[in-house]
Amino acid sequence: MTLSKSSIELENYAEHGKRYFDVEVTSNVYFEVEIPKEAKPWLSYDKYNFVLDAGARPRKANIRFNWEGNTEMNFREAKVNFKVLDEDLVKHDALLITQDRSPEITPDRAGDSLALVIIERKLNVLLKWDKSESLMNWASVRLWEEQDGCPPEKIGRVRAVEFAQFHTLEGIPDEIRHLTYVETLSFFSNGNKFLQSFDIGTAITELTDLKNLRVFSFGLTTLPDEFKKLNKLVTLDLSGNNFQEVPPVLTPANFPKLRHLSLVNNRRSSIVDLTLPNKYPKEEWGGLYSGKNVLQTLFSWDKLESLLLSNNLIKGKLPLMNSYNQPKYTEADFIGNDTLTVAKNRLMGTPKVLPNCKDLRIGLNYLQGEIPEWILIHPRLMKWSPDVSIFNQNKGMDDNGVMPGFTNVPSSYDYYYELYPLSKPKY
């Protein structure tokens, strides 16, 4: 057995689709390729064809090896062996593979700029930064400054950054973890996002100072349990992805400071009538399918100031929110509150749902049945623009052939302004 090459040196990174090399094996015995266990996370090979159809005469097989980029600061090495039934009869060289280490990303401003450049390259961003400019002049990058009143170690480090208009097939690069002091982070518009199924990864969960995160139209389908480490989040926008359910990690207990949550337009297909044929299997459509349980969990998040769920696949009836652990309006809610004074008799003892929510959007889903009382008499109903954001459901049937739409949409809001006269528009 002989190999066309006995050693390979790899760089730490190459573009997706270019991380491979070929080795030709000439042999007159059958063999198996053995990759060391510790190298299997980053090294693999494609299925190959090798047939001994000429007696003792050797035949050739071309084997394609695939490798992953190295984001660590250490070199990697793998000794690939070719196992045969009787090693004593076969002499050959093992294949020694070495891979360069990642560039050192230091915990300072220079390290931040290097991390940004690597992330830009891996995401394949359309409009690239002008590296000849100072970092403080890069578009969509904001640095911590002395007037921000931050600790000295933060000054000059990245405070906010947006990556927009890119095309990645591999998710969020691991180098994101080096933006230690980033407070606002945005990934916006991945090409062909409807074809992707990404997990957000764990590298981003190391950014424990993060307050505002937007991963919009990326192709996400899951969040890891480690995502709860981002417990300082105030704003989380996961719109335009492919979630089929609200990730279990998203709970009020895990995110006590979260005030704004958006899961708008989580669906792969734009088809409105779900009884029509679809090129995506139902289990891959994306969209928040189950209605009552999903909504009851989110509607119980009483500290949210905005909850955006429009244009998904949520179906069924709206929850009544009258479970035993749902807070109710009590006498304390009306003391010193002029807005609620007139509505006291109607509100007392009813579910107190999303009391701080200024923006609720559940329109363009597949909801049907009666609108529950807690919505119809909610103190902030008119701020929600209900005709557009609440009552307006999709015009096609759900996958069970049920036409969405509510049976008790108010014909006028006179009743509401009788309850809340201070909210009545002054013409």
Side-chain angles (χ1 to χ4, degrees):
M1 178 187 295
T2 59
L3 308 178
S4 61
K5 53 191 75 173
S6 59
S7 63
I8 297 288
E9 294 183 359
L10 303 174
E11 55 190 332
N12 68 81
Y13 174 78
E15 293 181 15
H16 183 78
K18 296 183 179 180
R19 294 193 289 269
Y20 65 86
F21 61 88
D22 295 326
V23 174
E24 186 179 74
V25 181
T26 304
S27 177
N28 63 357
V29 292
Y30 285 107
F31 59 89
E32 294 179 354
V33 180
E34 281 191 332
I35 294 178
K37 181 179 179 181
E38 63 273 13
K40 287 183 178 180
W42 61 274
L43 185 65
S44 63
Y45 60 91
D46 293 344
K47 185 177 180 180
Y48 58 90
N49 184 39
F50 180 71
V51 179
L52 291 173
D53 55 2
R57 293 174 60 188
R59 313 305 286 169
K60 296 181 183 294
N62 189 71
I63 303 178
R64 172 156 293 183
F65 288 86
N66 304 290
W67 53 275
E68 298 296 331
N70 187 5
T71 60
E72 304 299 327
M73 301 300 174
N74 300 316
F75 292 90
R76 294 200 291 209
E77 185 176 278
K79 186 177 181 180
V80 178
N81 202 5
F82 295 78
K83 181 180 179 181
V84 296
L85 295 178
D86 191 345
E87 284 282 359
D88 294 334
L89 299 179
V90 180
K91 294 183 179 181
H92 64 83
D93 294 325
L95 180 62
L96 181 62
I97 303 170
T98 56
Q99 185 176 34
D100 197 5
R101 65 182 181 86
S102 173
E104 184 178 2
I105 301 177
T106 53
D108 51 25
R109 178 168 165 171
D112 280 3
S113 62
L114 178 57
L116 291 177
V117 170
I118 294 174
I119 295 167
E120 177 192 67
R121 177 181 64 175
K122 288 188 174 182
L123 288 177
N124 192 20
V125 175
L126 179 61
L127 298 176
K128 295 177 172 52
W129 288 304
D130 182 355
K131 288 30 169 225
S132 65
E133 285 278 355
S134 168
L135 180 60
M136 67 178 64
N137 295 326
W138 289 13
S140 303
V141 176
R142 182 183 172 192
L143 308 181
W144 285 98
E145 300 178 7
E146 190 173 353
Q147 57 265 34
D148 294 325
C150 60
E153 63 269 18
K154 284 189 175 184
I155 296 175
R157 302 293 298 274
V158 172
R159 181 178 185 179
V161 61
E162 177 181 84
F163 301 93
Q165 302 295 327
F166 48 85
H167 190 183
T168 179
L169 300 175
E170 300 183 282
I172 296 175
D174 283 348
E175 285 78 7
I176 198 69
R177 63 162 56 95
H178 295 287
L179 301 180
T180 311
Y181 297 120
V182 70
E183 187 179 68
T184 299
L185 179 60
S186 176
F187 296 90
F188 182 85
S189 189
N190 185 22
N192 293 332
K193 74 91 184 176
F194 56 92
L195 297 176
Q196 310 304 334
S197 296
F198 294 122
D199 182 275
I200 203 169
T202 57
I204 201 170
T205 68
E206 297 181 28
L207 305 177
T208 52
D209 280 350
L210 203 58
K211 291 184 178 180
N212 307 294
L213 175 61
R214 177 175 68 162
V215 187
F216 179 91
S217 191
F218 196 95
L220 295 179
T221 55
T222 56
L223 298 179
D225 188 60
E226 293 90 338
F227 195 73
K228 64 187 176 186
K229 291 164 62 176
L230 301 178
N231 55 17
K232 293 181 182 177
L233 280 177
V234 176
T235 301
L236 177 60
D237 185 351
L238 298 175
S239 300
N241 286 289
N242 299 325
F243 290 103
Q244 291 184 262
E245 63 176 1
V246 176
V249 71
L250 293 182
T251 67
N254 288 338
F255 298 92
K257 297 184 178 180
L258 195 69
R259 297 295 180 267
H260 307 282
L261 176 61
S262 179
L263 287 160
V264 169
N265 193 31
N266 267 268
R267 53 189 302 173
R268 296 182 190 269
S269 171
S270 60
I271 288 179
V272 173
D273 187 341
L274 301 185
T275 63
L276 297 177
N278 195 303
K279 63 180 179 179
Y280 302 107
K282 179 179 175 180
E283 61 271 14
E284 296 180 3
W285 278 7
L288 308 179
Y289 257 97
S290 56
K292 185 177 180 180
N293 293 337
V294 166
L295 293 177
Q296 183 152 332
T297 300
L298 293 175
F299 289 166
S300 299
W301 206 322
D302 61 351
K303 292 184 178 179
L304 288 180
E305 296 179 17
S306 65
L307 176 59
L308 314 183
L309 300 169
S310 53
N311 199 26
N312 284 299
L313 302 177
I314 305 174
K315 62 181 181 179
K317 297 182 179 182
L318 287 169
L320 299 177
M321 301 303 293
N322 55 5
S323 62
Y324 72 95
N325 57 349
Q326 180 65 38
K328 305 290 194 298
Y329 282 98
T330 65
E331 190 70 40
D333 294 307
F334 303 98
I335 298 175
N337 193 327
D338 294 341
T339 303
L340 302 183
T341 301
V342 179
K344 178 179 178 179
N345 291 338
R346 186 88 175 263
L347 288 174
M348 184 69 75
T350 63
K352 187 179 179 182
V353 184
L354 296 172
N356 300 298
C357 187
K358 305 180 181 90
D359 191 1
L360 175 64
R361 305 182 200 177
I362 56 174
L364 295 181
N365 280 287
Y366 293 84
L367 296 165
Q368 45 88 20
E370 288 194 358
I371 305 163
E373 179 82 349
W374 68 264
I375 286 184
L376 293 174
I377 63 172
H378 197 286
R380 299 184 186 271
L381 176 64
M382 298 315 295
K383 293 184 180 297
W384 297 342
S385 300
D387 290 324
V388 175
S389 299
I390 307 294
F391 306 146
N392 182 32
Q393 297 298 302
N394 261 313
K395 306 306 180 186
M397 291 183 286
D398 69 17
D399 54 324
N400 293 324
V402 177
M403 181 63 71
F406 298 113
T407 58
N408 58 334
V409 175
S411 57
S412 84
Y413 295 105
D414 290 344
Y415 81 94
Y416 178 85
Y417 293 121
E418 290 176 3
L419 294 173
Y420 305 102
L422 295 180
S423 300
K424 189 172 184 177
K426 297 178 175 60
Y427 297 109

